[in-house]
Amino acid sequence: MKVNGVLVEEEVEPRMLLSDFLREKVDALSVNVSCGVGRCGSCSVILNGKLVKSCLIFAAMANEGHIVTVEGLAKDGELHAIQKGFWENHALQCGFCTSGFLMATYSLLKKNLTPSEEEIREFLKGNLCRCTGYTNIIDAIKYASETLTGIPKDKLKEAFRW
Amino acid sequence: MYYPKNFEYESPNILKEALDLLEKYQQDAKVLAGGQSLIPLMKLRVLSPKIVIDINKLSELSYIKEDDNYINIGALTRHNEVLESELLSRYAKALVDAAKNIADHAIRNMGTIGGNVCHSDPAADYLPVVLALEALLLTISNKGKRTLKADEFLMGPFETSLLPDELLLEIKIPKVKGRVGSSFLKFPYHQGDISLINVATLVKIDENKVVKDCRIAVGGILPKPERVKGAEDVIVGKKVEDKDIVEASKIASETLNPQSDWMASSEYRRALIATLVENSLNLSLERAGARI
């Protein structure tokens, strides 16, 4: 499979979960596992262009697929607008859920660059923050949406290159 | 950390290969579609299949097509594809309503309609819909194909009449011609969670707004979702007034005998049945154009 554009080849047990594969074999430590049963969204990544929960997928199912994690967001040492949004709005406290929120936001904004607050809340239903930082998280997403709306088309394409 | 017991993994490239594997391994094999129910159950070791047959490469099982009489949905169609389908929006709004309310966006990207129906959790959201829309389920094995009515397919909690060597191929939703409306409503334990009660209804009216056909199906009850004939009869054959809808919902809540469990008491579920049947009938009538 490819992870953030880099080819990865490993032989693993069928039962190895994609979340563990990404952490242990690819060193993509942004992928956090919290609930382990698909409720909390901490382990969210993009698989073949779609947001998924990597704790509910066997690594073997992603064979030949392309995965994007938070490690793939920043480019040339500069944070992605979504990451900046979380930074500027203090949209995290302990940070454990943040990777999942970043990937869910990426997936949302790629599909709909200017979501309403209701659409944001509906889309992020599958991501839980137990520090309850939701208000700031929503502010962060609005900030990212506004920043990205203002940039030239080629930069926008670059921002959503995966 | 949860981890499943180890298993042998097969990922056939073509349908025939999958059917050969099912024929060979029978009960020892479990079919993996979206995996959003199967994988948690394997992680919790409720299920520990010896062989897992991953059918995700069988992209020919993912489609939504129409012919003269049916909308045909491939078993591997994801929930998000169901909810974005214009065809289903036109002919089977209740199914779109159900897809919209399943879990969250990421789960809906993986979970499949076929998997949901075959897993057959008594509270699964598609089940009352396939009953109310009188869907047919097309199965396949090396011995041939079978077409089953939804109520023949659904046997009980987590039990269907699918044989060990069979695969669900397609869900066929009959096109009901004329002025028709359908809808699905649920009351989840909390947002995105399992339904305490879910209801699907379909109403067909004639040009004088007299109801020609009415179907009411209720899920979230044991052993499996059911149609409520007594309540349907109240609605059919007349120009429906509010009191008829209230009467039908009362009959539904009195006829069915929902269970009590840690999430809700039987009485609470009865009250939900009455409310959801009433609201769903109103919505279906509105969609059929009875309120214009």
Side-chain angles (χ1 to χ4, degrees):
Chain A
M1 71 174 79
K2 273 189 172 179
V3 180
N4 301 320
V6 179
L7 188 68
V8 182
E9 279 185 333
E10 288 280 348
E11 201 156 302
V12 297
E13 278 191 324
R15 65 175 170 173
M16 179 166 239
L17 297 157
L18 180 59
S19 47
D20 294 328
F21 180 85
L22 292 168
R23 288 183 61 84
E24 291 169 19
K25 305 284 181 187
V26 191
D27 232 12
L29 296 178
S30 70
V31 180
N32 288 333
V33 177
S34 185
C35 77
V37 288
R39 282 172 183 248
C40 77
S42 288
C43 65
S44 302
V45 299
I46 310 247
L47 168 61
N48 300 329
K50 288 184 171 166
L51 185 72
V52 296
K53 296 188 174 177
S54 62
C55 79
L56 288 193
I57 295 178
F58 294 122
M61 293 165 76
N63 189 19
E64 292 175 16
H66 189 194
I67 289 148
V68 184
T69 66
V70 171
E71 284 82 352
L73 290 184
K75 193 153 189 267
D76 305 326
E78 196 184 335
L79 291 181
H80 192 284
I82 296 168
Q83 292 171 303
K84 273 188 208 153
F86 276 67
W87 177 289
E88 293 295 334
N89 290 277
H90 186 59
L92 56 140
Q93 221 178 102
C94 84
F96 203 77
C97 68
T98 309
S99 316
F101 272 101
L102 291 171
M103 297 322 291
T105 305
Y106 182 90
S107 182
L108 168 65
L109 295 184
K110 188 172 182 175
K111 210 171 152 197
N112 175 5
L113 191 56
T114 52
S116 64
E117 177 160 339
E118 202 187 329
E119 286 168 330
I120 295 173
R121 285 182 182 274
E122 168 60 31
F123 198 93
L124 295 180
K125 200 162 78 175
N127 291 77
L128 303 181
C129 167
R130 293 295 79 165
C131 305
T132 72
Y134 294 111
T135 305
N136 288 4
I137 290 171
I138 285 157
D139 288 346
I141 294 166
K142 286 181 183 164
Y143 175 101
S145 157
E146 282 162 24
T147 315
L148 290 163
T149 310
I151 67 171
K153 271 214 166 119
D154 56 324
K155 291 258 182 201
L156 188 62
K157 212 177 154 193
E158 182 62 30
F160 291 106
R161 62 193 176 280
W162 300 116
Chain B
M1 192 57 57
Y2 313 118
Y3 243 91
K5 274 195 185 160
N6 227 337
F7 52 85
E8 273 176 53
Y9 173 81
E10 299 277 359
S11 57
N13 289 303
I14 54 165
L15 180 60
K16 177 74 176 92
E17 225 178 297
L19 298 180
D20 289 346
L21 287 163
L22 280 170
E23 188 177 27
K24 184 175 168 196
Y25 293 115
Q26 304 270 333
Q27 281 94 340
D28 287 343
K30 195 83 191 148
V31 172
L32 170 63
Q36 305 300 284
S37 298
L38 177 62
I39 296 177
L41 288 175
M42 287 175 67
K43 289 173 89 172
L44 298 166
R45 303 206 177 190
V46 175
L47 286 175
S48 296
K50 282 189 196 145
I51 322 279
V52 169
I53 305 173
D54 176 2
I55 58 166
N56 282 286
K57 282 190 195 156
L58 307 181
S59 53
E60 70 264 37
L61 298 187
S62 175
Y63 55 85
I64 301 170
K65 295 191 281 211
E66 66 175 324
D67 58 30
D68 289 346
N69 299 315
Y70 295 97
I71 307 290
N72 300 314
I73 309 169
L76 201 62
T77 306
R78 316 277 162 183
H79 306 317
N80 271 341
E81 291 162 349
V82 170
L83 84 84
E84 283 165 7
S85 162
E86 277 176 35
L87 207 51
L88 289 174
S89 240
R90 191 148 19 106
Y91 286 104
K93 196 76 175 147
L95 200 65
V96 177
D97 291 345
K100 238 177 228 172
N101 284 296
I102 292 174
D104 55 65
H105 187 82
I107 300 280
R108 292 196 297 265
N109 273 337
M110 283 304 290
T112 67
I113 186 167
N116 185 292
V117 173
C118 289
H119 180 52
S120 210
D121 185 317
D125 290 339
Y126 288 132
L127 304 190
V129 183
V130 294
L131 286 175
L133 301 183
E134 296 183 349
L136 300 174
L137 297 130
L138 177 62
T139 70
I140 188 167
S141 74
N142 276 339
K143 295 190 191 82
K145 288 183 181 175
R146 291 199 297 157
T147 305
L148 298 162
K149 290 180 183 164
D151 64 342
E152 296 167 341
F153 188 82
L154 305 175
M155 302 292 281
F158 307 100
E159 199 185 341
T160 68
S161 47
L162 198 68
L163 299 171
D165 63 344
E166 275 182 320
L167 192 68
L168 179 65
L169 199 58
E170 183 178 274
I171 293 157
K172 301 171 84 67
I173 313 276
K175 286 183 183 171
V176 184
K177 310 260 157 75
R179 298 176 68 175
V180 188
S182 71
S183 67
F184 165 91
L185 291 172
K186 78 180 205 178
F187 192 91
Y189 184 64
H190 52 63
Q191 265 296 317
D193 208 327
I194 197 158
S195 295
L196 296 178
I197 289 294
N198 49 21
V199 168
T201 64
L202 177 143
V203 180
K204 179 181 172 169
I205 55 170
D206 68 8
E207 62 278 12
N208 300 316
K209 297 180 185 174
V210 173
V211 174
K212 289 297 182 192
D213 192 0
C214 172
R215 305 173 198 163
I216 301 170
V218 178
I221 53 170
L222 288 174
K224 60 176 184 170
E226 275 185 58
R227 287 272 294 270
V228 202
K229 192 81 181 54
E232 294 172 357
D233 291 343
V234 175
I235 303 292
V236 176
K238 60 178 78 143
K239 214 169 152 174
V240 177
E241 293 174 37
D242 286 348
K243 66 172 175 44
D244 302 317
I245 293 173
V246 172
E247 173 68 10
S249 55
K250 189 163 165 260
I251 290 174
S253 88
E254 284 167 0
T255 312
L256 299 169
N257 186 20
Q259 70 283 4
S260 290
D261 60 21
W262 64 272
M263 289 190 286
S265 65
S266 179
E267 291 74 18
Y268 190 76
R269 279 196 168 88
R270 265 185 214 282
L272 285 176
I273 292 170
T275 305
L276 293 180
V277 167
E278 185 181 338
N279 293 349
S280 176
L281 279 173
N282 275 318
L283 188 54
S284 293
L285 281 162
E286 192 185 310
R287 287 174 176 175
R291 296 277 191 263
I292 303 161

